[in-house]
């Protein structure tokens, strides 16, 4: 049994430390809070218990003493517990209190530091906390002192008259008071000051002003928690050094509806462009209950002349069964191999197979026509293996059969409806925080609309719909919604580029 107090970083999932990621991958229980990016939960091992404890500015799902008791009780069950905390555990994160509870309970623990928002948020906003010409020191200050303390712990005169850059955490509720106290203590009203809200995330915003005008400007521009307050002349460098806020999709809420196994690449590409990605998998990829037919087909691979893989998931589940039988890529040595698109081709290459054919148009129709051309329009007697999802379009096998091929459709996985984040998506639609909903297949359209009806979506005319290709777009339009955005190339990278240009 052991407890790890892990700093999740400020919001950008790429800022989680390697050590933190590795511990998440082996923990039995993950206890996480509001400021820990839930994308990080993808690093948790399958079957781990995930417990959300809240900790949103004054609105705690569990009070701190109950969180402490929860961590202790899970560890005493003999489990490895990862306590995932926003930022750094010991920087205004109450990690010290949790560590004390663990010590008193006689439990072993370890602290895994994280990148604190007070450093990362300003850096993403273009504000270096130290600079040879501006500041040689930094003071990190809580803007939310313990209300039970009779006196302030801050020496406001020392803060106001120092040459330090000041960074206030959790200070938005007290911003007018912080501004007044600094000015009353001798700080000039025109001292540069800034706010950084949701720093490092797709919802990142910053505002530069002066300490005197900042409370009014914050209200005018709708700044609220979680925001950092940065005070000092380094703020004057923001316009010159700002880099993150130049990303084309910054602040755009984009829903990714692909299965979680496929969504990570889409989410990463969109996040790199600055988007606030809302992962809402409408389908989940599941193994079959019985793989007898698949193993039988693998045992007869020598009978086939061609195998066609139509998805990364098909490749993965087919290879899982190969390995389960003690075989590897050499089992396909006598077959020609086709892949429906570049992502599937890369999945095959990772397993030592270079596809003989990848179509120019990454849809079933393109594969069918390309293969017909490859075989001169005559596939008479050619035995074709088609590993795919249990439920899929029959365009490809029907076209090949019409050309004389003998096609064995081989289900290797199945898709199931999923909608765990329906309420969150509806709330974000109502709040105007979603600008685009993306669809990577017809099944994602069908399943999404079963959860969020067309009539509901029509209430938000500003929301755009994006589809990876014409078949998916046709499904959307048949349901009564327009496809606003569709790339010329039917790939996720092309869709991301198109979104960056159009949004």
């Amino acid at each position: 049994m052991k407890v790890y107090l892990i700093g999740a970083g400020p919001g950008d999932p790429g800022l989680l430390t390697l050590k933190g990621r590795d511990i998440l991958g082996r923990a039995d229980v993950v206890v996480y809070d509001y400021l820990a990016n839930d994308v990080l939960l993808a690093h948790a091992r399958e079957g781990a218990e995930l417990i959300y404890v809240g900790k949103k500015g004054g609105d705690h799902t569990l009070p701190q003493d109950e969180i402490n008791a929860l961590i202790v009780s899970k560890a005493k069950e003999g489990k490895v517990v990862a306590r995932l905390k926003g930022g750094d555990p010991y920087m205004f994160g109450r990690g010290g209190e949790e560590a004390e509870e663990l010590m008193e309970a006689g439990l072993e623990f370890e602290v895994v530091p994280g990148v604190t928002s007070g450093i990362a948020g300003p850096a993403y906003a273009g504000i270096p906390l130290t600079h040879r010409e501006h500041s040689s020191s930094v003071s990190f200050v809580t803007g939310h002192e313990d209300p039970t303390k009779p006196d302030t712990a801050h020496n406001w005169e020392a803060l106001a008259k120092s040459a330090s850059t000041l960074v206030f955490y959790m200070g938005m509720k007290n911003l007018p008071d912080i501004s007044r106290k600094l000015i009353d203590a001798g700080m000039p009203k025109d001292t540069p000051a800034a706010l950084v809200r949701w720093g490092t995330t797709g919802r990142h915003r910053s505002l530069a002003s002066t300490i005197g005008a900042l409370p009014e400007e914050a209200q005018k521009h709708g700044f609220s928690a979680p925001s950092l307050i940065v005070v000092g002349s380094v703020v004057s460098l923001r316009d010159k050094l700002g880099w993150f806020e130049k990303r084309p999709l910054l602040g755009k809420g984009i829903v990714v509806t692909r299965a979680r196994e496929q969504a990570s690449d889409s989410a990463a590409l969109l996040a790199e462009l600055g988007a606030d990605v809302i992962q809402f998998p409408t389908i989940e990829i599941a193994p079959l209950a019985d793989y007898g037919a698949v193993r039988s087909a693998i045992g007869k691979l020598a009978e086939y002349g061609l195998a066609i893989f139509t998805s990364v998931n098909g490749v993965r589940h087919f290879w899982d069964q190969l390995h389960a039988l003690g075989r590897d890529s050499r089992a396909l040595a006598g077959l020609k191999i086709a892949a429906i698109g570049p992502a599937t081709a890369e999945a095959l290459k990772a397993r030592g197979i270079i596809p003989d054919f990848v179509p120019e148009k990454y849809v079933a129709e393109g594969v069918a026509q390309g293969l017909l051309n490859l075989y001169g329009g005559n596939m008479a007697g050619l035995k074709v293996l088609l590993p795919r999802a249990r439920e899929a379009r029959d365009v490809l096998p029907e076209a090949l059969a019409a050309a004389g091929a003998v096609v064995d459709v081989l289900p290797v996985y199945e898709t199931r409806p999923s909608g765990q984040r329906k309420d969150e998506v509806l709330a974000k639609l109502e709040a105007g925080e979603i600008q685009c909903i993306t669809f990577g297949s017809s099944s994602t359209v069908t399943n999404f609309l079963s959860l969020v009806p067309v009539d509901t979506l029509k209430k938000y005319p500003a929301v755009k719909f994006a589809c990876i290709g014409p078949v998916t777009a046709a499904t959307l339009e048949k349901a009564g919604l327009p496809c606003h955005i569709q790339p010329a190339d039917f790939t996720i990278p092309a869709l991301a580029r198109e979104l960056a240009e159009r949004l």
Side-chain angles (χ1 to χ4, degrees):
M1 69 182 76
K2 189 170 184 178
V3 177
Y4 294 89
L5 305 177
I6 303 173
D12 181 342
L15 296 181
L16 177 71
T17 64
L18 294 175
K19 186 170 185 176
R21 181 200 64 188
D22 292 345
I23 292 168
L24 284 175
R26 64 175 189 267
D28 301 308
V29 182
V30 179
V31 179
Y32 67 104
D33 66 25
Y34 171 72
L35 291 177
N37 192 316
D38 67 357
V39 174
L40 301 179
L41 299 179
H43 296 302
R45 69 171 179 80
E46 187 174 351
E49 184 179 5
L50 308 178
I51 304 174
Y52 174 62
V53 294
K55 303 287 290 177
K56 176 182 178 180
D59 179 19
H60 297 177
T61 299
L62 282 182
Q64 185 64 48
D65 59 345
E66 292 186 28
I67 294 173
N68 297 344
L70 172 66
I71 297 169
V72 169
S73 68
K74 290 296 180 182
K76 284 187 173 180
E77 291 174 11
K79 296 177 178 178
V80 174
V81 180
R83 170 65 172 114
L84 193 61
K85 303 170 69 66
D88 176 84
Y90 280 3
M91 182 64 81
F92 302 122
R94 304 189 73 172
E97 297 172 43
E98 293 174 3
E100 286 179 317
E101 289 283 337
L102 294 168
M103 283 289 294
E104 291 176 11
L107 295 168
E108 185 180 1
F109 75 92
E110 185 174 324
V111 178
V112 182
V115 180
T116 181
S117 60
I119 293 174
Y124 275 50
I127 302 172
L129 297 184
T130 64
H131 189 283
R132 289 183 66 181
E133 297 176 7
H134 294 270
S135 176
S136 298
S137 62
V138 186
S139 297
F140 296 107
V141 189
T142 178
H144 180 69
E145 291 189 272
D146 185 343
T148 64
K149 292 191 297 187
D151 300 306
T152 178
H154 301 331
N155 183 333
W156 289 100
E157 185 173 354
L159 292 174
K161 294 181 179 179
S162 75
S164 251
T165 300
L166 308 180
V167 181
F168 289 87
Y169 289 67
M170 304 168 292
M172 285 305 295
K173 286 184 180 179
N174 297 326
L175 177 57
D177 192 47
I178 291 169
S179 172
R180 178 182 55 79
K181 285 181 176 177
L182 288 173
I183 292 169
D184 288 350
M187 178 175 283
K189 291 183 178 180
D190 61 356
T191 300
L195 296 174
V196 182
R197 185 169 193 264
W198 282 114
T200 80
T201 75
R203 301 167 67 184
H204 170 109
R205 295 174 64 202
S206 70
L207 168 70
S209 182
T210 63
I211 191 59
L214 196 60
E216 183 179 346
E217 288 294 303
Q219 189 171 19
K220 177 181 175 181
H221 292 281
F223 274 73
S224 59
S227 295
L228 292 162
I229 305 165
V230 186
V231 185
S233 65
V234 290
V235 171
S236 64
L237 297 169
R238 170 181 169 269
D239 291 343
K240 180 180 180 181
L241 300 181
W243 57 275
F244 189 64
E245 291 169 38
K246 295 176 181 177
R247 296 192 171 187
L249 292 177
L250 186 65
K252 304 295 185 184
I254 299 179
V255 177
V256 174
T257 57
R258 305 180 86 201
R260 189 169 295 279
E261 291 87 347
Q262 299 168 301
S264 57
D265 290 344
S266 309
L269 284 170
L270 293 169
E272 185 64 25
L273 294 168
D276 176 27
V277 180
I278 301 104
Q279 293 201 44
F280 181 31
T282 58
I283 59 174
E284 62 179 11
I285 306 300
L288 302 179
D290 182 3
Y291 274 99
V294 179
R295 296 186 179 189
S296 176
I298 290 173
K300 299 184 293 184
L301 283 174
E303 298 178 9
Y304 294 95
L306 172 67
I308 306 170
F309 291 90
T310 60
S311 71
V312 172
N313 290 312
V315 173
R316 178 165 63 88
H317 285 276
F318 183 83
W319 251 261
D320 284 347
Q321 295 309 308
L322 266 183
H323 293 159
L325 293 172
R327 306 184 71 180
D328 58 23
S329 301
R330 289 172 293 180
L332 288 86
L335 287 74
K336 286 189 179 296
I337 306 294
I340 198 170
T344 305
E346 287 301 318
L348 288 166
K349 289 176 184 177
R351 292 161 174 84
I353 299 290
I354 299 176
D356 298 286
F357 172 76
V358 182
E360 293 182 6
K361 294 292 184 181
Y362 312 129
V363 292
E365 290 83 350
V367 176
Q369 188 57 54
L371 286 171
L372 288 173
N373 293 341
L374 188 67
Y375 284 90
N378 181 14
M379 303 180 77
L382 179 68
K383 199 165 182 183
V384 179
L385 185 65
L386 182 58
R388 67 174 200 179
R390 185 184 297 281
E391 300 293 333
R393 298 169 66 227
D394 289 325
V395 172
L396 180 56
E398 289 175 356
L400 298 180
V406 179
V407 183
D408 285 347
V409 174
L410 183 68
V412 294
Y413 67 96
E414 62 184 2
T415 59
R416 300 171 183 167
S418 174
Q420 297 177 350
R421 306 185 73 177
K422 173 184 173 181
D423 291 342
E424 179 184 349
V425 167
L426 288 172
K428 286 181 176 290
L429 280 169
E430 184 64 27
E433 295 177 358
I434 292 175
Q435 282 68 50
C436 185
I437 300 171
T438 65
F439 299 104
S441 67
S442 291
S443 59
T444 61
V445 174
T446 302
N447 290 335
F448 184 83
L449 296 182
S450 72
L451 297 164
V452 184
V454 170
D455 288 344
T456 298
L457 293 168
K458 286 182 175 179
K459 296 177 183 177
Y460 309 101
V463 175
K464 304 297 183 186
F465 300 102
C467 296
I468 195 170
V471 175
T472 306
T475 304
L476 183 68
E477 289 163 358
K478 185 177 180 180
L481 293 171
C483 176
H484 301 102
I485 300 170
Q486 180 189 313
D489 292 329
F490 312 146
T491 65
I492 293 300
L495 180 60
R497 291 192 297 270
E498 192 74 13
L499 289 169
E501 291 179 13
R502 298 285 296 279
L503 295 181

